Amino acid sequence: MRIRQHHFKNEGWVSYFSEPGFDAGKCRLVLAFGAPELISDPVIYDYLRNAYPAADIVFSSTSGEIIGSDVYDDSIVVTAIELEKSSITCTSTHVNEQANSAETGAFLMSQLEKRGLKCVFIISDGTFINGSELVDGFNRDNPDKVPVTGGLAGDAARFNSTFTSLNAVPSQGNVIAIGFYGDELRINHGSSGGWEEFGPQRTITRSVKNVLFEIDGKSALDLYKEYLGEYAAELPGSALLFPLSLSIEGSDKKLVRTILSVNEDEKSMTFAGNLPEGSKVRLMKANFEKLINASSTAATDSINDPKQADLAILVSCVGRKLVLADRTDEELAAAKSIFGDQTSMAGFYSYGELSPLNKGSNCELHNQTMTITTFTEI
């Protein structure tokens, strides 16, 4: 595997890294993560298509771009991948072409040849999709539990419009699946949050998919406001600072759920993933050191192969970026300290992260985590 990375900023395109022997004509996959207003410019797609004529080009808008151990806003991070011994298959669909988010995931999984499939990496629209149902669709036809990882596109902290595409100028509503194949390919993953629970454990007593109405038989919104105190006036934005911990039946691990919007008339809150009735939840708050350490944990979990990873794709939540603020680089540096200089790092801040909870388990939608997928050719 050979990697080339370059970066579009105010001054134009800047070369970041290129491995010796990299051949743009043999490049088969280009990942472009960038600000919505930049990647939706047709000039950007034309530039990358001319630079990598044989590659599948996958775009995602972001809430911040990651290259190396640095985070940027209002830029585009490009990672071009030349696979020497392995292969990929890319497929895409639009949310309007399927009945719902679950069928979107199931359709994309059906388009990938299962024989030899090592991993599916997802780049999804982040505004029109239900992430929980999307991963349910992918899990439906995955008996061998091939790892499914990836993320939902971002739009800074606006939660307005996200843009994704496969071999086209990015637009809204697209979901892309990248299938990786090859006996010499090693793909691993890790995901960790680092948030701190507080307050009593409570039970969801009324919800519809990702819309929460009642906890312990009382208005969930009123209860949430009570805990937020002075931050309640800043909803829904302040909810990124106080996500919910969701206990998963049959597992000792927990998912984190982030609020996307509130409805004062219905006294409801819409989350980035489903919250089934009967589930146990607790409020969470930021602990800076634990958030940063979680990045190290995710990186460590993603490199259980003796050979150092060639490439690490990091998908972290916009909520973490807002909380860490000037310390955001520290969570990237924490991952870099685990990988070392031999591993190229790229990624983005997202509206949701996709990864199994454990090795060999089904994919789950995460919020407020650092999720890392590593790729190595041996």
Side-chain angles (χ1 to χ4, degrees):
M1 180 181 292
R2 295 189 179 98
I3 305 296
R4 174 187 285 173
Q5 292 182 295
H6 42 122
H7 196 190
F8 183 85
K9 298 185 286 187
N10 290 334
E11 61 269 30
W13 289 103
V14 178
S15 178
Y16 185 84
F17 169 78
S18 183
E19 288 193 26
F22 179 91
D23 187 342
K26 295 180 179 178
C27 172
R28 290 296 179 265
L29 178 64
V30 174
L31 301 175
F33 306 137
E37 61 274 12
L38 293 180
I39 66 167
S40 57
D41 184 344
V43 171
I44 298 297
Y45 174 72
D46 291 342
Y47 173 86
L48 294 177
R49 173 49 66 210
N50 290 331
Y52 304 102
D56 282 311
I57 303 175
V58 178
F59 283 93
S60 178
S61 64
T62 80
S63 298
E65 303 83 53
I66 296 168
I67 188 166
S69 55
D70 296 313
V71 59
Y72 292 86
D73 291 306
D74 303 318
S75 77
I76 304 172
V77 167
V78 173
T79 300
I81 304 168
E82 179 189 346
L83 294 167
E84 300 174 83
K85 308 171 186 176
S86 312
S87 62
I88 64 163
T89 297
C90 294
T91 185
S92 68
T93 190
H94 192 278
V95 293
N96 291 339
E97 295 175 357
Q98 313 301 326
N100 51 49
S101 296
E103 293 306 316
T104 297
F107 170 79
L108 289 171
M109 196 67 174
S110 73
Q111 300 303 296
L112 296 173
E113 169 64 47
K114 303 303 187 297
R115 186 173 51 213
L117 183 63
K118 300 297 183 182
C119 174
V120 182
F121 191 81
I122 307 302
I123 292 294
S124 173
D125 170 85
T127 47
F128 295 112
I129 206 79
N130 181 309
S132 295
E133 294 184 1
L134 179 70
V135 298
D136 286 346
F138 276 101
N139 291 336
R140 186 189 304 170
D141 183 25
N142 188 15
D144 295 330
K145 292 186 170 58
V146 172
V148 177
T149 67
L152 309 187
D155 175 31
R158 294 182 289 262
F159 293 94
N160 185 16
S161 301
T162 61
F163 297 84
T164 56
S165 70
L166 170 63
N167 298 326
V169 176
S171 58
Q172 297 182 64
N174 302 300
V175 185
I176 301 97
I178 309 168
F180 288 85
Y181 299 83
D183 291 337
E184 291 80 16
L185 193 59
R186 300 291 182 268
I187 301 176
N188 293 301
H189 55 84
S191 183
S192 186
W195 294 81
E196 195 169 76
E197 295 181 347
F198 72 100
Q201 179 173 268
R202 299 179 183 275
T203 303
I204 295 175
T205 49
R206 185 182 168 216
S207 65
V208 178
K209 294 184 178 180
N210 63 330
V211 181
L212 177 61
F213 293 93
E214 293 182 0
I215 296 176
D216 288 345
K218 301 176 182 177
S219 165
L221 181 57
D222 288 345
L223 179 65
Y224 202 80
K225 286 181 175 180
E226 180 183 329
Y227 273 97
L228 261 60
E230 62 184 29
Y231 289 100
E234 301 172 25
L235 282 170
S238 60
L240 290 168
L241 309 178
F242 299 94
L244 282 184
S245 167
L246 176 69
S247 295
I248 301 300
E249 187 175 354
S251 172
D252 59 351
K253 290 200 173 184
K254 300 177 181 180
L255 298 176
V256 182
R257 289 288 178 258
T258 297
I259 294 177
L260 297 180
S261 63
V262 300
N263 186 317
E264 295 286 356
D265 294 332
E266 294 183 350
K267 293 290 185 181
S268 68
M269 299 183 288
T270 299
F271 285 77
N274 291 350
L275 296 99
E277 289 183 0
S279 298
K280 305 296 183 181
V281 292
R282 290 184 70 188
L283 281 166
M284 308 182 83
K285 59 184 177 181
N287 178 306
F288 290 99
E289 299 309 318
K290 286 185 177 181
L291 289 176
I292 293 166
N293 289 339
S295 183
S296 297
T297 300
T300 300
D301 289 346
S302 71
I303 52 168
N304 60 4
D305 196 274
K307 185 180 184 297
Q308 193 74 356
D310 296 321
L311 173 66
I313 301 296
L314 286 69
V315 182
S316 187
C317 183
V318 59
R320 298 172 66 87
K321 183 169 178 275
L322 293 175
V323 169
L324 289 170
D326 292 342
R327 300 186 65 182
T328 301
D329 286 349
E330 293 184 40
E331 77 163 352
L332 307 180
K336 187 69 173 178
S337 70
I338 301 298
F339 292 127
D341 294 333
Q342 295 182 10
T343 301
S344 296
M345 286 172 41
F348 64 98
Y349 283 84
S350 73
Y351 283 174
E353 306 82 60
L354 308 180
S355 174
L357 278 169
N358 306 294
K359 298 292 192 295
S361 63
N362 283 328
C363 182
E364 299 282 358
L365 170 72
H366 305 268
N367 302 132
Q368 305 283 23
T369 64
M370 168 64 83
T371 292
I372 301 177
T373 309
T374 58
F375 302 82
T376 311
E377 274 192 320
I378 60 173

